[in-house]
Amino acid sequence: MAASSYMLGSGYNAGNGMYFDPDRDGGRYVYGPASPQFKPVLAFLNQAYTSGVLDPDYAVLTQQQWTEKLTGGESFFFLDNSGFGLNFTRALRTAHPEAFFQVMPIPEYAEGKARAQFYMNTFSGKMFAVSSKVQEPESVVKLLDWMYSEEGFRLMNFGIEGEHYTMDDRGQPVYKKDFIQTFIHAEPTPYYALYSELGCCQLSFTPYYSNTLSQFQIEKVTGTWDKLNEEYWSLIASDPAYRPSVMEPPLTKREAARAKDIHSALNDMLDEQFDKFIMGLKPIEEYDQVIRQARELGAAELEDIYNRAEARMKQ
């Protein structure tokens, strides 16, 4: 629901209904399920469910079952990390050689309005906290600084220079072909296997890493890069609807404790509500009552907490 609600003009993160809406008042945090803009999200999903487009078993499907349907030709659409589509296509073609999943241009949720969150290819979303009891805080800060350095980036994306990669004439790291080729038949994909071997990219402990930079190199060497890849990534690059994700602002200890309590109360109430509206057990008009209840439980206060924290970041 997180991806679909944002594309439909609202927002929701699993276990946390807060999201940053760049289209509200110049940009602000909103508790999606406690806003009127969330009603069209549920109405759309209800229409998809009643028309048979949304899998009738969506609420109880495991990830394995969901994957089996996509790679076995039983499902024709999914809304998730766009990179999965290429992997699903490879598996799907073992039984259906001409079949493929391709990226759809982001549709408009209202006239002239389309948006989706871009899965950033260079990440910096990991966070670390340094204990007040640490014996050498200066050394810890130096390590954190190194994590964002070019040296740290190369090590945690490409491994050891000379052993796993070399530098090209433009000063850019390039995997050694003989190293990449040892993963040519690895499952589920050569690049996932290489990431696991090195503990690099998304599996690294540093906050500064790039998946696609490494992935593209690996796929071009192993032969898994083809016309489908070119079309796939060209569509993403050319669609202006994609927007970068926003990192949540740091909260004070008191704010974090209060936000945790509010989130808990809201999740307990909302988790049992969504499916009732999606499956048509309740009419969409009754969701206004849910909005009122959510705001009474602290959704408005939660928005204030996050927006005050965001304002502090800009001071």
Side-chain angles (χ1 to χ4, degrees):
M1 189 180 292
S4 59
S5 60
Y6 187 80
M7 292 172 64
L8 291 168
S10 185
Y12 177 79
N13 293 316
N16 178 357
M18 292 300 304
Y19 79 105
F20 186 81
D21 195 322
D23 301 322
R24 304 271 193 100
D25 304 325
R28 65 186 300 269
Y29 278 93
V30 179
Y31 194 87
S35 65
Q37 289 80 4
F38 202 74
K39 289 175 65 178
V41 175
L42 295 172
F44 177 85
L45 294 174
N46 169 251
Q47 184 178 15
Y49 180 81
T50 56
S51 65
V53 174
L54 180 61
D55 193 315
D57 298 323
Y58 81 90
V60 295
L61 280 178
T62 65
Q63 182 176 353
Q64 181 179 349
Q65 292 170 326
W66 175 70
T67 301
E68 288 174 352
K69 286 193 174 188
L70 287 165
T71 57
E74 295 181 50
S75 297
F76 70 95
F77 171 84
F78 72 96
L79 185 60
D80 203 315
N81 181 340
S82 54
F84 295 161
L86 289 169
N87 296 336
F88 289 153
T89 292
R90 308 295 180 204
L92 182 61
R93 283 183 169 175
T94 60
H96 307 279
E98 301 300 318
F100 65 93
F101 284 100
Q102 185 53 281
V103 179
M104 289 177 58
I106 303 302
E108 294 182 351
Y109 68 88
E111 187 174 353
K113 295 182 178 180
R115 67 184 192 180
Q117 286 192 328
F118 186 70
Y119 191 69
M120 301 296 286
N121 55 22
T122 299
F123 299 83
S124 59
K126 291 182 179 178
M127 295 185 181
F128 298 87
V130 179
S131 170
S132 61
K133 299 178 181 179
V134 68
Q135 294 183 359
E136 297 184 36
E138 295 85 359
S139 297
V140 174
V141 172
K142 286 181 180 179
L143 174 61
L144 291 172
D145 286 342
W146 175 85
M147 289 179 178
Y148 286 94
S149 69
E150 186 63 27
E151 179 185 18
F153 175 82
R154 289 201 303 268
L155 178 64
M156 301 313 298
N157 281 269
F158 292 90
I160 300 172
E161 185 174 0
E163 182 175 346
H164 304 121
Y165 75 94
T166 58
M167 302 297 288
D168 65 14
D169 54 7
R170 297 174 301 164
Q172 297 298 313
V174 179
Y175 284 115
K176 296 181 70 172
K177 288 186 177 180
D178 57 350
F179 172 62
I180 290 179
Q181 287 172 342
T182 60
F183 301 94
I184 195 168
H185 299 300
E187 297 291 343
T189 65
Y191 65 88
Y192 277 142
L194 188 150
Y195 292 174
S196 181
E197 174 70 17
L198 290 183
C200 71
C201 303
Q202 201 166 5
L203 300 181
S204 72
F205 67 88
T206 58
Y208 180 34
Y209 57 97
S210 173
N211 268 11
T212 54
L213 180 63
S214 298
Q215 177 187 340
F216 292 176
Q217 285 192 27
I218 296 166
E219 291 196 303
K220 289 176 180 179
V221 170
T222 57
T224 53
W225 185 277
D226 54 21
K227 182 180 178 181
L228 182 63
N229 293 68
E230 294 287 353
E231 294 174 349
Y232 191 93
W233 293 108
S234 294
L235 277 170
I236 294 175
S238 62
D239 194 334
Y242 287 99
R243 305 183 184 189
S245 56
V246 177
M247 187 184 302
E248 290 187 357
L251 305 181
T252 66
K253 187 175 182 180
R254 178 175 295 181
E255 288 172 338
R258 179 58 182 153
K260 182 179 179 181
D261 289 341
I262 297 174
H263 279 307
S264 179
L266 288 169
N267 290 340
D268 288 344
M269 187 272 289
L270 289 169
D271 285 348
E272 63 180 33
Q273 293 292 335
F274 295 143
D275 290 336
K276 294 177 182 178
F277 290 96
I278 293 172
M279 295 179 179
L281 302 177
K282 283 187 175 183
I284 296 299
E285 292 74 22
E286 290 187 14
Y287 194 73
D288 289 327
Q289 299 174 18
V290 177
I291 293 175
R292 287 194 294 271
Q293 186 177 355
R295 302 200 76 77
E296 290 171 359
L297 286 172
E301 181 184 352
L302 201 56
E303 291 174 347
D304 289 340
I305 289 173
Y306 276 78
N307 284 307
R308 284 199 305 267
E310 178 70 11
R312 287 198 300 267
M313 295 285 289
K314 298 177 180 179
Q315 292 177 351

